[in-house]
Amino acid sequence: GQQVMQIPQYQHVQEGEDFTTYCNSSTTLSNIQWYKQRPGGHPVFLIQLVKSGEVKKQKRLTFQFGEAKKNSSLHITATQTTDVGTYFCAGNYGGSQGNLIFGKGTKLSVKP
Amino acid sequence: NAGVMQNPRHLVRRRGQEARLRCSPMKGHSHVYWYRQLPEEGLKFMVYLQKENIIDESGMPKERFSAEFPKEGPSILRIQQVVRGDSAAYFCASSPPGREKRGYTFGSGTRLTVV
């Protein structure tokens, strides 16, 4: 079946260091979404990427969608303690009307 | 403008009892999705509903689980004869109509514990 692989599973950084999480799908995606979940909280939508090779920025966060629309990355520059949480990518394959396939997430911890 | 409302936030059930989880989508949203999250895991799709219709239930276990989204009232996820393995966080999400997929708005979830 369709699967979205996400690495790394955990990432521990010192405050001020950069952070990157990667998502990969074996088949072409219609679009990909990114979510953040704080400890004990619920997923919060960050962004959606649709076009091949698309790059979007939100302050210190940079999101990329691969040329083949099979992979994506989220890069955070100069992490802060407020960035702590789990970052999930979620792939949409277009066929199913509502079935977003989530990766297992990357849990980010930031040491002050 | 209230977000997606889920209740209860926490639910404890003994093995064999029934669990009913409720979800009211955001105003103007007609699409509801249920996801299950085990500790340290991602979210697993269960079911996608529109008013009075189940659109995709490919992620729902064949037995004991059912979902509905009636014309009036919240969407209900029902788990009959719960077992310890049903312990998880259940999140509901909603989105507005339209073919263009948009980000989902998630509720705060229901944490189900089966004892």
mmCIF file with all atom_site columns, all heavy atoms in Angstrom, chain B residues 6-8 11 18-23 34-35 68 74-79 88-91 109-112:
data_model
loop_
_atom_site.group_PDB
_atom_site.id
_atom_site.type_symbol
_atom_site.label_atom_id
_atom_site.label_alt_id
_atom_site.label_comp_id
_atom_site.label_asym_id
_atom_site.label_entity_id
_atom_site.label_seq_id
_atom_site.pdbx_PDB_ins_code
_atom_site.Cartn_x
_atom_site.Cartn_y
_atom_site.Cartn_z
_atom_site.occupancy
_atom_site.B_iso_or_equiv
_atom_site.pdbx_formal_charge
_atom_site.auth_seq_id
_atom_site.auth_comp_id
_atom_site.auth_asym_id
_atom_site.auth_atom_id
_atom_site.pdbx_PDB_model_num
ATOM 1   N N   . GLN B 1 6   ? -14.039 18.261 20.132 1.00 0.00 ? 6   GLN B N   1
ATOM 2   C CA  . GLN B 1 6   ? -14.125 16.841 20.426 1.00 0.00 ? 6   GLN B CA  1
ATOM 3   C C   . GLN B 1 6   ? -14.417 16.646 21.900 1.00 0.00 ? 6   GLN B C   1
ATOM 4   O O   . GLN B 1 6   ? -13.874 17.349 22.750 1.00 0.00 ? 6   GLN B O   1
ATOM 5   C CB  . GLN B 1 6   ? -12.803 16.129 20.106 1.00 0.00 ? 6   GLN B CB  1
ATOM 6   C CG  . GLN B 1 6   ? -12.584 15.865 18.638 1.00 0.00 ? 6   GLN B CG  1
ATOM 7   C CD  . GLN B 1 6   ? -11.392 14.973 18.387 1.00 0.00 ? 6   GLN B CD  1
ATOM 8   O OE1 . GLN B 1 6   ? -10.342 15.450 17.968 1.00 0.00 ? 6   GLN B OE1 1
ATOM 9   N NE2 . GLN B 1 6   ? -11.552 13.685 18.629 1.00 0.00 ? 6   GLN B NE2 1
ATOM 10  N N   . ASN B 1 7   ? -15.259 15.688 22.184 1.00 0.00 ? 7   ASN B N   1
ATOM 11  C CA  . ASN B 1 7   ? -15.471 15.326 23.586 1.00 0.00 ? 7   ASN B CA  1
ATOM 12  C C   . ASN B 1 7   ? -15.819 13.862 23.694 1.00 0.00 ? 7   ASN B C   1
ATOM 13  O O   . ASN B 1 7   ? -16.307 13.263 22.742 1.00 0.00 ? 7   ASN B O   1
ATOM 14  C CB  . ASN B 1 7   ? -16.553 16.222 24.219 1.00 0.00 ? 7   ASN B CB  1
ATOM 15  C CG  . ASN B 1 7   ? -17.914 15.986 23.613 1.00 0.00 ? 7   ASN B CG  1
ATOM 16  O OD1 . ASN B 1 7   ? -18.617 15.039 23.947 1.00 0.00 ? 7   ASN B OD1 1
ATOM 17  N ND2 . ASN B 1 7   ? -18.294 16.854 22.691 1.00 0.00 ? 7   ASN B ND2 1
ATOM 18  N N   . PRO B 1 8   ? -15.459 13.252 24.825 1.00 0.00 ? 8   PRO B N   1
ATOM 19  C CA  . PRO B 1 8   ? -14.727 13.885 25.925 1.00 0.00 ? 8   PRO B CA  1
ATOM 20  C C   . PRO B 1 8   ? -13.238 14.000 25.621 1.00 0.00 ? 8   PRO B C   1
ATOM 21  O O   . PRO B 1 8   ? -12.748 13.391 24.670 1.00 0.00 ? 8   PRO B O   1
ATOM 22  C CB  . PRO B 1 8   ? -14.974 12.907 27.078 1.00 0.00 ? 8   PRO B CB  1
ATOM 23  C CG  . PRO B 1 8   ? -15.094 11.568 26.408 1.00 0.00 ? 8   PRO B CG  1
ATOM 24  C CD  . PRO B 1 8   ? -15.789 11.840 25.090 1.00 0.00 ? 8   PRO B CD  1
ATOM 25  N N   . LEU B 1 11  ? -11.292 9.533  28.232 1.00 0.00 ? 11  LEU B N   1
ATOM 26  C CA  . LEU B 1 11  ? -12.342 8.543  28.409 1.00 0.00 ? 11  LEU B CA  1
ATOM 27  C C   . LEU B 1 11  ? -11.702 7.254  28.902 1.00 0.00 ? 11  LEU B C   1
ATOM 28  O O   . LEU B 1 11  ? -10.764 6.743  28.277 1.00 0.00 ? 11  LEU B O   1
ATOM 29  C CB  . LEU B 1 11  ? -13.074 8.301  27.091 1.00 0.00 ? 11  LEU B CB  1
ATOM 30  C CG  . LEU B 1 11  ? -14.244 7.323  27.089 1.00 0.00 ? 11  LEU B CG  1
ATOM 31  C CD1 . LEU B 1 11  ? -15.349 7.811  28.009 1.00 0.00 ? 11  LEU B CD1 1
ATOM 32  C CD2 . LEU B 1 11  ? -14.784 7.144  25.665 1.00 0.00 ? 11  LEU B CD2 1
ATOM 33  N N   . GLU B 1 18  ? -18.542 -0.059 25.844 1.00 0.00 ? 18  GLU B N   1
ATOM 34  C CA  . GLU B 1 18  ? -18.601 0.692  24.593 1.00 0.00 ? 18  GLU B CA  1
ATOM 35  C C   . GLU B 1 18  ? -18.007 2.084  24.807 1.00 0.00 ? 18  GLU B C   1
ATOM 36  O O   . GLU B 1 18  ? -18.155 2.675  25.875 1.00 0.00 ? 18  GLU B O   1
ATOM 37  C CB  . GLU B 1 18  ? -20.057 0.824  24.135 1.00 0.00 ? 18  GLU B CB  1
ATOM 38  C CG  . GLU B 1 18  ? -20.227 1.621  22.853 1.00 0.00 ? 18  GLU B CG  1
ATOM 39  C CD  . GLU B 1 18  ? -21.678 1.731  22.413 1.00 0.00 ? 18  GLU B CD  1
ATOM 40  O OE1 . GLU B 1 18  ? -22.225 0.734  21.920 1.00 0.00 ? 18  GLU B OE1 1
ATOM 41  O OE2 . GLU B 1 18  ? -22.253 2.839  22.547 1.00 0.00 ? 18  GLU B OE2 1
ATOM 42  N N   . ALA B 1 19  ? -17.340 2.593  23.776 1.00 0.00 ? 19  ALA B N   1
ATOM 43  C CA  . ALA B 1 19  ? -16.809 3.957  23.811 1.00 0.00 ? 19  ALA B CA  1
ATOM 44  C C   . ALA B 1 19  ? -17.462 4.758  22.688 1.00 0.00 ? 19  ALA B C   1
ATOM 45  O O   . ALA B 1 19  ? -17.556 4.285  21.550 1.00 0.00 ? 19  ALA B O   1
ATOM 46  C CB  . ALA B 1 19  ? -15.299 3.946  23.636 1.00 0.00 ? 19  ALA B CB  1
ATOM 47  N N   . ARG B 1 20  ? -17.915 5.956  23.032 1.00 0.00 ? 20  ARG B N   1
ATOM 48  C CA  . ARG B 1 20  ? -18.511 6.861  22.026 1.00 0.00 ? 20  ARG B CA  1
ATOM 49  C C   . ARG B 1 20  ? -17.729 8.160  22.035 1.00 0.00 ? 20  ARG B C   1
ATOM 50  O O   . ARG B 1 20  ? -17.673 8.854  23.051 1.00 0.00 ? 20  ARG B O   1
ATOM 51  C CB  . ARG B 1 20  ? -19.968 7.137  22.348 1.00 0.00 ? 20  ARG B CB  1
ATOM 52  C CG  . ARG B 1 20  ? -20.880 6.029  21.923 1.00 0.00 ? 20  ARG B CG  1
ATOM 53  C CD  . ARG B 1 20  ? -22.333 6.442  22.064 1.00 0.00 ? 20  ARG B CD  1
ATOM 54  N NE  . ARG B 1 20  ? -23.177 5.361  21.615 1.00 0.00 ? 20  ARG B NE  1
ATOM 55  C CZ  . ARG B 1 20  ? -24.152 5.490  20.736 1.00 0.00 ? 20  ARG B CZ  1
ATOM 56  N NH1 . ARG B 1 20  ? -24.426 6.678  20.237 1.00 0.00 ? 20  ARG B NH1 1
ATOM 57  N NH2 . ARG B 1 20  ? -24.865 4.462  20.365 1.00 0.00 ? 20  ARG B NH2 1
ATOM 58  N N   . LEU B 1 21  ? -17.165 8.499  20.909 1.00 0.00 ? 21  LEU B N   1
ATOM 59  C CA  . LEU B 1 21  ? -16.359 9.703  20.779 1.00 0.00 ? 21  LEU B CA  1
ATOM 60  C C   . LEU B 1 21  ? -17.096 10.650 19.841 1.00 0.00 ? 21  LEU B C   1
ATOM 61  O O   . LEU B 1 21  ? -17.581 10.241 18.786 1.00 0.00 ? 21  LEU B O   1
ATOM 62  C CB  . LEU B 1 21  ? -14.977 9.359  20.191 1.00 0.00 ? 21  LEU B CB  1
ATOM 63  C CG  . LEU B 1 21  ? -13.973 8.619  21.081 1.00 0.00 ? 21  LEU B CG  1
ATOM 64  C CD1 . LEU B 1 21  ? -14.456 7.243  21.512 1.00 0.00 ? 21  LEU B CD1 1
ATOM 65  C CD2 . LEU B 1 21  ? -12.640 8.485  20.343 1.00 0.00 ? 21  LEU B CD2 1
ATOM 66  N N   . ARG B 1 22  ? -17.156 11.924 20.236 1.00 0.00 ? 22  ARG B N   1
ATOM 67  C CA  . ARG B 1 22  ? -17.934 12.888 19.465 1.00 0.00 ? 22  ARG B CA  1
ATOM 68  C C   . ARG B 1 22  ? -17.047 13.955 18.843 1.00 0.00 ? 22  ARG B C   1
ATOM 69  O O   . ARG B 1 22  ? -16.032 14.349 19.419 1.00 0.00 ? 22  ARG B O   1
ATOM 70  C CB  . ARG B 1 22  ? -18.978 13.568 20.361 1.00 0.00 ? 22  ARG B CB  1
ATOM 71  C CG  . ARG B 1 22  ? -20.037 12.625 20.890 1.00 0.00 ? 22  ARG B CG  1
ATOM 72  C CD  . ARG B 1 22  ? -20.958 13.319 21.872 1.00 0.00 ? 22  ARG B CD  1
ATOM 73  N NE  . ARG B 1 22  ? -21.755 12.366 22.609 1.00 0.00 ? 22  ARG B NE  1
ATOM 74  C CZ  . ARG B 1 22  ? -21.309 11.647 23.635 1.00 0.00 ? 22  ARG B CZ  1
ATOM 75  N NH1 . ARG B 1 22  ? -20.055 11.786 24.054 1.00 0.00 ? 22  ARG B NH1 1
ATOM 76  N NH2 . ARG B 1 22  ? -22.111 10.801 24.233 1.00 0.00 ? 22  ARG B NH2 1
ATOM 77  N N   . CYS B 1 23  ? -17.465 14.422 17.688 1.00 0.00 ? 23  CYS B N   1
ATOM 78  C CA  . CYS B 1 23  ? -16.706 15.448 16.975 1.00 0.00 ? 23  CYS B CA  1
ATOM 79  C C   . CYS B 1 23  ? -17.650 16.398 16.272 1.00 0.00 ? 23  CYS B C   1
ATOM 80  O O   . CYS B 1 23  ? -18.467 15.968 15.457 1.00 0.00 ? 23  CYS B O   1
ATOM 81  C CB  . CYS B 1 23  ? -15.773 14.785 15.963 1.00 0.00 ? 23  CYS B CB  1
ATOM 82  S SG  . CYS B 1 23  ? -15.013 15.951 14.810 1.00 0.00 ? 23  CYS B SG  1
ATOM 83  N N   . TRP B 1 34  ? -11.546 10.856 10.788 1.00 0.00 ? 34  TRP B N   1
ATOM 84  C CA  . TRP B 1 34  ? -11.112 10.318 12.080 1.00 0.00 ? 34  TRP B CA  1
ATOM 85  C C   . TRP B 1 34  ? -9.755  9.635  11.905 1.00 0.00 ? 34  TRP B C   1
ATOM 86  O O   . TRP B 1 34  ? -9.552  8.860  10.966 1.00 0.00 ? 34  TRP B O   1
ATOM 87  C CB  . TRP B 1 34  ? -12.113 9.310  12.625 1.00 0.00 ? 34  TRP B CB  1
ATOM 88  C CG  . TRP B 1 34  ? -13.371 9.925  13.175 1.00 0.00 ? 34  TRP B CG  1
ATOM 89  C CD1 . TRP B 1 34  ? -14.547 10.143 12.520 1.00 0.00 ? 34  TRP B CD1 1
ATOM 90  C CD2 . TRP B 1 34  ? -13.574 10.376 14.518 1.00 0.00 ? 34  TRP B CD2 1
ATOM 91  N NE1 . TRP B 1 34  ? -15.465 10.709 13.362 1.00 0.00 ? 34  TRP B NE1 1
ATOM 92  C CE2 . TRP B 1 34  ? -14.907 10.861 14.590 1.00 0.00 ? 34  TRP B CE2 1
ATOM 93  C CE3 . TRP B 1 34  ? -12.783 10.411 15.668 1.00 0.00 ? 34  TRP B CE3 1
ATOM 94  C CZ2 . TRP B 1 34  ? -15.450 11.378 15.774 1.00 0.00 ? 34  TRP B CZ2 1
ATOM 95  C CZ3 . TRP B 1 34  ? -13.316 10.925 16.840 1.00 0.00 ? 34  TRP B CZ3 1
ATOM 96  C CH2 . TRP B 1 34  ? -14.635 11.403 16.890 1.00 0.00 ? 34  TRP B CH2 1
ATOM 97  N N   . TYR B 1 35  ? -8.841  9.947  12.852 1.00 0.00 ? 35  TYR B N   1
ATOM 98  C CA  . TYR B 1 35  ? -7.524  9.348  12.857 1.00 0.00 ? 35  TYR B CA  1
ATOM 99  C C   . TYR B 1 35  ? -7.248  8.787  14.252 1.00 0.00 ? 35  TYR B C   1
ATOM 100 O O   . TYR B 1 35  ? -7.717  9.318  15.258 1.00 0.00 ? 35  TYR B O   1
ATOM 101 C CB  . TYR B 1 35  ? -6.442  10.392 12.529 1.00 0.00 ? 35  TYR B CB  1
ATOM 102 C CG  . TYR B 1 35  ? -6.336  10.730 11.064 1.00 0.00 ? 35  TYR B CG  1
ATOM 103 C CD1 . TYR B 1 35  ? -7.225  11.637 10.481 1.00 0.00 ? 35  TYR B CD1 1
ATOM 104 C CD2 . TYR B 1 35  ? -5.350  10.158 10.263 1.00 0.00 ? 35  TYR B CD2 1
ATOM 105 C CE1 . TYR B 1 35  ? -7.129  11.949 9.126  1.00 0.00 ? 35  TYR B CE1 1
ATOM 106 C CE2 . TYR B 1 35  ? -5.256  10.462 8.908  1.00 0.00 ? 35  TYR B CE2 1
ATOM 107 C CZ  . TYR B 1 35  ? -6.149  11.356 8.358  1.00 0.00 ? 35  TYR B CZ  1
ATOM 108 O OH  . TYR B 1 35  ? -6.057  11.662 7.016  1.00 0.00 ? 35  TYR B OH  1
ATOM 109 N N   . GLU B 1 68  ? -20.432 7.585  12.172 1.00 0.00 ? 68  GLU B N   1
ATOM 110 C CA  . GLU B 1 68  ? -21.556 8.208  11.498 1.00 0.00 ? 68  GLU B CA  1
ATOM 111 C C   . GLU B 1 68  ? -21.415 9.717  11.587 1.00 0.00 ? 68  GLU B C   1
ATOM 112 O O   . GLU B 1 68  ? -20.742 10.256 12.469 1.00 0.00 ? 68  GLU B O   1
ATOM 113 C CB  . GLU B 1 68  ? -22.882 7.760  12.115 1.00 0.00 ? 68  GLU B CB  1
ATOM 114 C CG  . GLU B 1 68  ? -23.039 8.134  13.564 1.00 0.00 ? 68  GLU B CG  1
ATOM 115 C CD  . GLU B 1 68  ? -24.428 7.783  14.105 1.00 0.00 ? 68  GLU B CD  1
ATOM 116 O OE1 . GLU B 1 68  ? -25.241 7.191  13.374 1.00 0.00 ? 68  GLU B OE1 1
ATOM 117 O OE2 . GLU B 1 68  ? -24.696 8.126  15.264 1.00 0.00 ? 68  GLU B OE2 1
ATOM 118 N N   . PRO B 1 74  ? -23.250 15.989 15.993 1.00 0.00 ? 74  PRO B N   1
ATOM 119 C CA  . PRO B 1 74  ? -21.831 15.723 15.737 1.00 0.00 ? 74  PRO B CA  1
ATOM 120 C C   . PRO B 1 74  ? -21.601 14.391 15.043 1.00 0.00 ? 74  PRO B C   1
ATOM 121 O O   . PRO B 1 74  ? -22.489 13.534 14.978 1.00 0.00 ? 74  PRO B O   1
ATOM 122 C CB  . PRO B 1 74  ? -21.239 15.700 17.149 1.00 0.00 ? 74  PRO B CB  1
ATOM 123 C CG  . PRO B 1 74  ? -22.344 15.190 18.002 1.00 0.00 ? 74  PRO B CG  1
ATOM 124 C CD  . PRO B 1 74  ? -23.604 15.772 17.411 1.00 0.00 ? 74  PRO B CD  1
ATOM 125 N N   . SER B 1 75  ? -20.383 14.217 14.578 1.00 0.00 ? 75  SER B N   1
ATOM 126 C CA  . SER B 1 75  ? -19.968 12.912 14.096 1.00 0.00 ? 75  SER B CA  1
ATOM 127 C C   . SER B 1 75  ? -19.640 12.053 15.314 1.00 0.00 ? 75  SER B C   1
ATOM 128 O O   . SER B 1 75  ? -19.118 12.537 16.318 1.00 0.00 ? 75  SER B O   1
ATOM 129 C CB  . SER B 1 75  ? -18.732 13.051 13.211 1.00 0.00 ? 75  SER B CB  1
ATOM 130 O OG  . SER B 1 75  ? -18.244 11.778 12.831 1.00 0.00 ? 75  SER B OG  1
ATOM 131 N N   . ILE B 1 76  ? -19.953 10.773 15.208 1.00 0.00 ? 76  ILE B N   1
ATOM 132 C CA  . ILE B 1 76  ? -19.722 9.840  16.315 1.00 0.00 ? 76  ILE B CA  1
ATOM 133 C C   . ILE B 1 76  ? -18.838 8.702  15.834 1.00 0.00 ? 76  ILE B C   1
ATOM 134 O O   . ILE B 1 76  ? -19.103 8.104  14.780 1.00 0.00 ? 76  ILE B O   1
ATOM 135 C CB  . ILE B 1 76  ? -21.041 9.229  16.834 1.00 0.00 ? 76  ILE B CB  1
ATOM 136 C CG1 . ILE B 1 76  ? -22.048 10.301 17.199 1.00 0.00 ? 76  ILE B CG1 1
ATOM 137 C CG2 . ILE B 1 76  ? -20.766 8.271  18.003 1.00 0.00 ? 76  ILE B CG2 1
ATOM 138 C CD1 . ILE B 1 76  ? -21.786 11.002 18.499 1.00 0.00 ? 76  ILE B CD1 1
ATOM 139 N N   . LEU B 1 77  ? -17.786 8.432  16.599 1.00 0.00 ? 77  LEU B N   1
ATOM 140 C CA  . LEU B 1 77  ? -16.989 7.221  16.398 1.00 0.00 ? 77  LEU B CA  1
ATOM 141 C C   . LEU B 1 77  ? -17.332 6.288  17.550 1.00 0.00 ? 77  LEU B C   1
ATOM 142 O O   . LEU B 1 77  ? -17.186 6.655  18.718 1.00 0.00 ? 77  LEU B O   1
ATOM 143 C CB  . LEU B 1 77  ? -15.496 7.533  16.379 1.00 0.00 ? 77  LEU B CB  1
ATOM 144 C CG  . LEU B 1 77  ? -14.558 6.328  16.209 1.00 0.00 ? 77  LEU B CG  1
ATOM 145 C CD1 . LEU B 1 77  ? -14.718 5.713  14.822 1.00 0.00 ? 77  LEU B CD1 1
ATOM 146 C CD2 . LEU B 1 77  ? -13.097 6.724  16.429 1.00 0.00 ? 77  LEU B CD2 1
ATOM 147 N N   . ARG B 1 78  ? -17.796 5.114  17.216 1.00 0.00 ? 78  ARG B N   1
ATOM 148 C CA  . ARG B 1 78  ? -18.271 4.176  18.219 1.00 0.00 ? 78  ARG B CA  1
ATOM 149 C C   . ARG B 1 78  ? -17.400 2.930  18.211 1.00 0.00 ? 78  ARG B C   1
ATOM 150 O O   . ARG B 1 78  ? -17.146 2.338  17.141 1.00 0.00 ? 78  ARG B O   1
ATOM 151 C CB  . ARG B 1 78  ? -19.714 3.811  17.905 1.00 0.00 ? 78  ARG B CB  1
ATOM 152 C CG  . ARG B 1 78  ? -20.409 2.917  18.903 1.00 0.00 ? 78  ARG B CG  1
ATOM 153 C CD  . ARG B 1 78  ? -21.817 2.636  18.409 1.00 0.00 ? 78  ARG B CD  1
ATOM 154 N NE  . ARG B 1 78  ? -22.522 1.696  19.239 1.00 0.00 ? 78  ARG B NE  1
ATOM 155 C CZ  . ARG B 1 78  ? -23.502 0.917  18.825 1.00 0.00 ? 78  ARG B CZ  1
ATOM 156 N NH1 . ARG B 1 78  ? -23.888 0.977  17.557 1.00 0.00 ? 78  ARG B NH1 1
ATOM 157 N NH2 . ARG B 1 78  ? -24.103 0.099  19.644 1.00 0.00 ? 78  ARG B NH2 1
ATOM 158 N N   . ILE B 1 79  ? -16.937 2.552  19.398 1.00 0.00 ? 79  ILE B N   1
ATOM 159 C CA  . ILE B 1 79  ? -16.139 1.332  19.529 1.00 0.00 ? 79  ILE B CA  1
ATOM 160 C C   . ILE B 1 79  ? -16.864 0.422  20.511 1.00 0.00 ? 79  ILE B C   1
ATOM 161 O O   . ILE B 1 79  ? -17.044 0.761  21.687 1.00 0.00 ? 79  ILE B O   1
ATOM 162 C CB  . ILE B 1 79  ? -14.710 1.625  20.056 1.00 0.00 ? 79  ILE B CB  1
ATOM 163 C CG1 . ILE B 1 79  ? -14.057 2.762  19.267 1.00 0.00 ? 79  ILE B CG1 1
ATOM 164 C CG2 . ILE B 1 79  ? -13.854 0.367  19.959 1.00 0.00 ? 79  ILE B CG2 1
ATOM 165 C CD1 . ILE B 1 79  ? -12.718 3.231  19.842 1.00 0.00 ? 79  ILE B CD1 1
ATOM 166 N N   . ALA B 1 88  ? -5.711  4.619  22.843 1.00 0.00 ? 88  ALA B N   1
ATOM 167 C CA  . ALA B 1 88  ? -5.016  5.489  21.894 1.00 0.00 ? 88  ALA B CA  1
ATOM 168 C C   . ALA B 1 88  ? -5.636  6.876  21.984 1.00 0.00 ? 88  ALA B C   1
ATOM 169 O O   . ALA B 1 88  ? -6.634  7.081  22.683 1.00 0.00 ? 88  ALA B O   1
ATOM 170 C CB  . ALA B 1 88  ? -5.160  4.959  20.463 1.00 0.00 ? 88  ALA B CB  1
ATOM 171 N N   . ALA B 1 89  ? -5.030  7.806  21.251 1.00 0.00 ? 89  ALA B N   1
ATOM 172 C CA  . ALA B 1 89  ? -5.652  9.119  21.069 1.00 0.00 ? 89  ALA B CA  1
ATOM 173 C C   . ALA B 1 89  ? -6.395  9.096  19.742 1.00 0.00 ? 89  ALA B C   1
ATOM 174 O O   . ALA B 1 89  ? -5.847  8.654  18.725 1.00 0.00 ? 89  ALA B O   1
ATOM 175 C CB  . ALA B 1 89  ? -4.603  10.223 21.065 1.00 0.00 ? 89  ALA B CB  1
ATOM 176 N N   . TYR B 1 90  ? -7.633  9.534  19.766 1.00 0.00 ? 90  TYR B N   1
ATOM 177 C CA  . TYR B 1 90  ? -8.449  9.576  18.553 1.00 0.00 ? 90  TYR B CA  1
ATOM 178 C C   . TYR B 1 90  ? -8.692  11.033 18.198 1.00 0.00 ? 90  TYR B C   1
ATOM 179 O O   . TYR B 1 90  ? -9.259  11.794 18.986 1.00 0.00 ? 90  TYR B O   1
ATOM 180 C CB  . TYR B 1 90  ? -9.781  8.842  18.792 1.00 0.00 ? 90  TYR B CB  1
ATOM 181 C CG  . TYR B 1 90  ? -9.584  7.353  18.957 1.00 0.00 ? 90  TYR B CG  1
ATOM 182 C CD1 . TYR B 1 90  ? -9.239  6.815  20.195 1.00 0.00 ? 90  TYR B CD1 1
ATOM 183 C CD2 . TYR B 1 90  ? -9.725  6.483  17.876 1.00 0.00 ? 90  TYR B CD2 1
ATOM 184 C CE1 . TYR B 1 90  ? -9.034  5.454  20.355 1.00 0.00 ? 90  TYR B CE1 1
ATOM 185 C CE2 . TYR B 1 90  ? -9.530  5.119  18.023 1.00 0.00 ? 90  TYR B CE2 1
ATOM 186 C CZ  . TYR B 1 90  ? -9.173  4.612  19.266 1.00 0.00 ? 90  TYR B CZ  1
ATOM 187 O OH  . TYR B 1 90  ? -8.974  3.264  19.420 1.00 0.00 ? 90  TYR B OH  1
ATOM 188 N N   . PHE B 1 91  ? -8.232  11.392 17.010 1.00 0.00 ? 91  PHE B N   1
ATOM 189 C CA  . PHE B 1 91  ? -8.366  12.768 16.564 1.00 0.00 ? 91  PHE B CA  1
ATOM 190 C C   . PHE B 1 91  ? -9.375  12.851 15.427 1.00 0.00 ? 91  PHE B C   1
ATOM 191 O O   . PHE B 1 91  ? -9.406  12.011 14.532 1.00 0.00 ? 91  PHE B O   1
ATOM 192 C CB  . PHE B 1 91  ? -7.023  13.316 16.068 1.00 0.00 ? 91  PHE B CB  1
ATOM 193 C CG  . PHE B 1 91  ? -6.028  13.546 17.155 1.00 0.00 ? 91  PHE B CG  1
ATOM 194 C CD1 . PHE B 1 91  ? -5.041  12.613 17.432 1.00 0.00 ? 91  PHE B CD1 1
ATOM 195 C CD2 . PHE B 1 91  ? -6.069  14.718 17.911 1.00 0.00 ? 91  PHE B CD2 1
ATOM 196 C CE1 . PHE B 1 91  ? -4.116  12.826 18.439 1.00 0.00 ? 91  PHE B CE1 1
ATOM 197 C CE2 . PHE B 1 91  ? -5.143  14.941 18.916 1.00 0.00 ? 91  PHE B CE2 1
ATOM 198 C CZ  . PHE B 1 91  ? -4.170  13.987 19.189 1.00 0.00 ? 91  PHE B CZ  1
ATOM 199 N N   . GLY B 1 109 ? -8.658  16.062 20.369 1.00 0.00 ? 109 GLY B N   1
ATOM 200 C CA  . GLY B 1 109 ? -8.540  14.622 20.521 1.00 0.00 ? 109 GLY B CA  1
ATOM 201 C C   . GLY B 1 109 ? -9.258  14.078 21.747 1.00 0.00 ? 109 GLY B C   1
ATOM 202 O O   . GLY B 1 109 ? -9.578  14.807 22.691 1.00 0.00 ? 109 GLY B O   1
ATOM 203 N N   . THR B 1 110 ? -9.525  12.794 21.692 1.00 0.00 ? 110 THR B N   1
ATOM 204 C CA  . THR B 1 110 ? -10.034 12.046 22.850 1.00 0.00 ? 110 THR B CA  1
ATOM 205 C C   . THR B 1 110 ? -9.014  10.974 23.179 1.00 0.00 ? 110 THR B C   1
ATOM 206 O O   . THR B 1 110 ? -8.667  10.157 22.308 1.00 0.00 ? 110 THR B O   1
ATOM 207 C CB  . THR B 1 110 ? -11.390 11.383 22.545 1.00 0.00 ? 110 THR B CB  1
ATOM 208 O OG1 . THR B 1 110 ? -12.381 12.379 22.334 1.00 0.00 ? 110 THR B OG1 1
ATOM 209 C CG2 . THR B 1 110 ? -11.817 10.476 23.707 1.00 0.00 ? 110 THR B CG2 1
ATOM 210 N N   . ARG B 1 111 ? -8.515  11.012 24.423 1.00 0.00 ? 111 ARG B N   1
ATOM 211 C CA  . ARG B 1 111 ? -7.575  9.984  24.865 1.00 0.00 ? 111 ARG B CA  1
ATOM 212 C C   . ARG B 1 111 ? -8.366  8.865  25.528 1.00 0.00 ? 111 ARG B C   1
ATOM 213 O O   . ARG B 1 111 ? -8.921  9.066  26.601 1.00 0.00 ? 111 ARG B O   1
ATOM 214 C CB  . ARG B 1 111 ? -6.559  10.551 25.859 1.00 0.00 ? 111 ARG B CB  1
ATOM 215 C CG  . ARG B 1 111 ? -5.331  11.176 25.205 1.00 0.00 ? 111 ARG B CG  1
ATOM 216 C CD  . ARG B 1 111 ? -5.578  12.561 24.711 1.00 0.00 ? 111 ARG B CD  1
ATOM 217 N NE  . ARG B 1 111 ? -4.403  13.186 24.123 1.00 0.00 ? 111 ARG B NE  1
ATOM 218 C CZ  . ARG B 1 111 ? -4.426  14.282 23.380 1.00 0.00 ? 111 ARG B CZ  1
ATOM 219 N NH1 . ARG B 1 111 ? -5.588  14.893 23.136 1.00 0.00 ? 111 ARG B NH1 1
ATOM 220 N NH2 . ARG B 1 111 ? -3.308  14.782 22.884 1.00 0.00 ? 111 ARG B NH2 1
ATOM 221 N N   . LEU B 1 112 ? -8.404  7.732  24.855 1.00 0.00 ? 112 LEU B N   1
ATOM 222 C CA  . LEU B 1 112 ? -9.142  6.582  25.354 1.00 0.00 ? 112 LEU B CA  1
ATOM 223 C C   . LEU B 1 112 ? -8.189  5.638  26.075 1.00 0.00 ? 112 LEU B C   1
ATOM 224 O O   . LEU B 1 112 ? -7.160  5.253  25.523 1.00 0.00 ? 112 LEU B O   1
ATOM 225 C CB  . LEU B 1 112 ? -9.834  5.847  24.204 1.00 0.00 ? 112 LEU B CB  1
ATOM 226 C CG  . LEU B 1 112 ? -10.496 4.508  24.545 1.00 0.00 ? 112 LEU B CG  1
ATOM 227 C CD1 . LEU B 1 112 ? -11.678 4.711  25.491 1.00 0.00 ? 112 LEU B CD1 1
ATOM 228 C CD2 . LEU B 1 112 ? -10.947 3.780  23.280 1.00 0.00 ? 112 LEU B CD2 1
#
